[in-house]
């Protein structure tokens, strides 16, 4: 591990976190990013305590916190009546309970914070406009061919980490080339300034200091502050057909408005006047497929297990992957373990259990948020009987998680 750098494909959240995690152990890293410029991509995201405790250890939390917001609660509201159905305390309560903050931020702000820390490390080299072409197994490790500016170079490594996202080109390196699959859901995204008329309309619907999900059989809409509280991120989810195998595209919002039939007039008016809306087809990757190869190739983040965002854990799972991979590989190396295949296989098995549980929670959320008729009545009764503290306790397994070998947070004492 000390003689040759780890090579990482992708300078997104997963790749940059992995680079910082390896560098923390004194390992040199080379990041190869195919985009010529690291541009602002994506929209808002939620960074739960299981991820922020890792970002804190990597020296990133203070940077991203400057542009993030610590919401007071997660709130569920009926989209038709705007009645509050449930509330999970966050803010100071989250930090007491899970020993790390819950943040909401723009994806670009998190990536910028990771990039800033990575750029400060003498152990991390980042090249843009560099596309990984082939990765060949040799007796002494891996040979990675990289195309940059029309020139092909060959880099030797003992570990190649593919962090190149949901449309990963590297996925084929660990098994049959399986493309991502359209989930049947579209995400409609926009942001509105807090100090605008639309911002004031939104403030009349719910608190600007919370993560609010509006529940409806035909859609659900999640809203929360970003950009240090100067803007509100809106994202609505509806059934739909795939528009393209790409991140996003401008589209007419009529389909979204049709899905919102029966919602409150104020919420419908907000959606009508907000925009332009950018629609994202939600693609997933079969998490049961291989993530590693015996030769030293490993997939992390969306390249391995892209999931729907209904548990708000896509970024968090990528951050967990990166940290645990570095810890596992370096620990084994320090213990003179020579079987990289066994180390990666054990890491993969443990991560698959965790990711599968998170995916099940996301599927449950989607089912509950889109419930109608008797199922919706049962959901509302269940939520009415659950206290905020009880709802928070149901998330201890998710937000209280710590990487193996780390000191776990102390269990909460008393009431929130």
């Amino acid at each position: 591990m000390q003689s040759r750098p780890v090579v990482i494909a992708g300078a997104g959240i997963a790749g940059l976190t992995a680079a910082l995690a390896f560098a923390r152990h004194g390992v040199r890293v080379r990041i190869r990013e195919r985009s010529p410029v690291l541009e602002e991509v994506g929209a808002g995201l939620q960074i739960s305590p299981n991820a922020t405790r890792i970002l804190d250890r990597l020296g990133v939390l203070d940077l991203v916190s400057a542009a993030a917001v610590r919401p007071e609660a997660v709130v569920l509201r009926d989209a038709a009546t705007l009645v509050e159905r449930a509330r999970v305390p966050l803010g100071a309560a989250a930090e007491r309970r899970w020993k790390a903050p819950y943040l909401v931020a723009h994806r670009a702000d998190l990536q910028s914070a990771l990039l800033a820390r990575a750029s400060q490390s003498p152990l991390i080299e980042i090249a843009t406009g560099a596309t990984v072409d082939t990765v060949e197994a040799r007796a002494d490790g891996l040979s990675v061919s990289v195309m940059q500016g029309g020139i092909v170079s060959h880099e030797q490594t003992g570990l190649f980490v593919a962090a190149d996202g949901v449309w990963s080109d590297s996925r084929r390196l660990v098994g049959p080339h399986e493309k991502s699959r359209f989930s049947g859901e579209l995400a409609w995204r926009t942001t509105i300034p807090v100090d605008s008329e639309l911002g004031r309309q939104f403030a009349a619907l719910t608190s600007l200091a919370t993560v609010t999900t509006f529940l409806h059989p035909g859609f659900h809409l999640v809203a929360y502050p970003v950009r240090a509280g100067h803007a509100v991120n809106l994202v609505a989810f509806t059934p739909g057909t795939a528009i393209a195998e790409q991140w996003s595209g401008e589209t007419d919002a009529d389909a979204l408005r049709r899905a919102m039939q029966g919602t409150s007039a104020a919420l419908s008016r907000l959606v009508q006047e907000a925009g332009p809306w950018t629609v994202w087809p939600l693609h997933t990757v079969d998490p049961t497929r291989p993530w590693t190869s015996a030769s030293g190739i490993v997939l992390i983040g969306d390249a391995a297990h892209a999931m729907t965002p209904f548990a708000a854990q896509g970024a968090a799972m990528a951050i967990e992957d990166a940290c645990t991979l570095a810890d596992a590989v370096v620990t084994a190396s320090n213990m003179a373990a020579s079987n990289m295949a066994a180390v990666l296989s054990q890491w993969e098995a443990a991560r698959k259990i965790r990711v599968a549980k998170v995916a099940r929670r996301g599927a449950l959320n989607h089912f509950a948020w889109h419930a109608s008729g008797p199922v919706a009545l049962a959901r509302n009764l269940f939520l009415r009987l659950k206290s905020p503290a009880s709802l928070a306790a149901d998330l201890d397994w998710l937000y209280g998680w710590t990487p193996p070998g780390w000191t776990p947070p102390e269990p909460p004492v008393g009431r929130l």
Side-chain angles (χ1 to χ4, degrees), residues 55-416:
L55 296 179
D56 190 23
R57 184 73 65 95
L58 298 178
V60 177
L61 183 59
D62 57 339
L63 292 182
V64 72
S65 293
V69 175
R70 301 191 180 199
E72 296 175 356
V74 169
V75 174
L76 303 182
R77 289 189 182 276
D78 190 294
T81 65
L82 302 183
V83 169
E84 182 177 310
R85 298 296 183 190
R87 175 177 292 259
V88 180
L90 297 179
E95 294 193 51
R96 287 195 301 271
R97 184 174 197 101
W98 299 303
K99 309 306 179 185
Y102 193 113
L103 303 180
V104 287
H106 196 284
R107 179 178 292 271
D109 292 331
L110 174 56
Q111 184 171 354
S112 294
L114 290 164
L115 181 60
R117 279 290 180 252
S119 299
Q120 293 172 349
S121 173
L123 295 173
I124 300 174
E125 172 195 319
I126 303 174
T128 57
T131 301
V132 173
D133 186 20
T134 62
V135 181
E136 297 181 356
R138 297 184 176 180
D140 59 346
L142 298 168
S143 177
V144 181
S145 64
V146 180
M147 171 74 75
Q148 185 178 24
I151 300 174
V152 177
S153 61
H154 299 276
E155 302 178 358
Q156 309 307 310
T157 184
L159 182 68
F160 174 73
V161 180
D164 50 348
V166 63
W167 292 295
S168 169
D169 290 329
S170 303
R171 199 176 294 127
R172 58 185 166 79
L173 300 173
V174 298
H177 186 36
E178 180 166 324
K179 298 178 67 176
S180 62
R181 300 175 182 178
F182 177 56
S183 67
E185 294 277 337
L186 298 176
W188 305 75
R189 301 180 186 273
T190 193
T191 58
I192 56 176
V194 167
D195 61 354
S196 66
E197 177 57 32
L198 283 172
R200 288 184 282 276
Q201 289 183 31
F202 176 79
L205 301 177
T206 189
S207 170
L208 289 168
T210 64
V211 178
T212 302
T213 300
F214 296 91
L215 314 181
H216 184 274
F219 80 105
H220 73 273
L221 185 148
V222 183
Y224 50 84
V226 293
R227 301 298 199 193
H230 297 297
V232 176
N233 179 75
L234 301 176
V235 54
F237 300 93
T238 68
T241 56
I243 55 171
E245 189 173 284
Q246 60 186 25
W247 268 122
S248 62
E250 299 292 334
T251 189
D252 191 306
D254 283 345
L256 173 58
R257 289 189 282 269
R258 287 193 298 271
M260 293 181 64
Q261 291 181 5
T263 61
S264 84
L267 183 58
S268 295
R269 183 169 61 253
L270 177 73
V271 170
Q272 177 75 31
E273 297 178 4
W277 291 87
T278 301
V279 64
W280 300 43
L282 298 181
H283 281 241
T284 61
V285 173
D286 182 356
T288 66
R289 305 293 292 178
W291 300 0
T292 63
S293 77
S295 60
I297 301 171
V298 56
L299 309 177
I300 65 172
D302 283 351
H305 50 67
M307 63 180 70
T308 53
F310 306 133
Q313 287 292 303
M317 290 301 102
I319 291 168
E320 288 186 11
D321 283 353
C323 172
T324 55
L325 175 66
D327 285 355
V329 169
V330 173
T331 298
S333 177
N334 290 341
M335 294 175 63
S338 59
N339 191 345
M340 176 68 77
V343 173
L344 295 182
S345 179
Q346 292 168 7
W347 171 85
E348 178 182 354
R351 289 302 299 158
K352 280 186 171 179
I353 294 172
R354 169 78 170 165
V355 169
K357 189 173 182 179
V358 170
R360 289 194 297 270
R361 176 64 191 227
L364 176 62
N365 286 348
H366 185 268
F367 172 77
W369 295 344
H370 289 246
S372 62
V375 176
L377 293 175
R379 173 201 67 198
N380 296 343
L381 176 60
F382 172 81
L383 292 175
R384 189 161 61 245
L385 296 174
K386 295 281 283 187
S387 68
S390 176
L391 291 171
D394 290 343
L395 295 167
D396 285 346
W397 68 272
L398 181 56
Y399 299 159
W401 179 91
T402 56
W406 290 27
T407 302
E410 298 175 1
V413 178
R415 299 179 61 82
L416 283 172

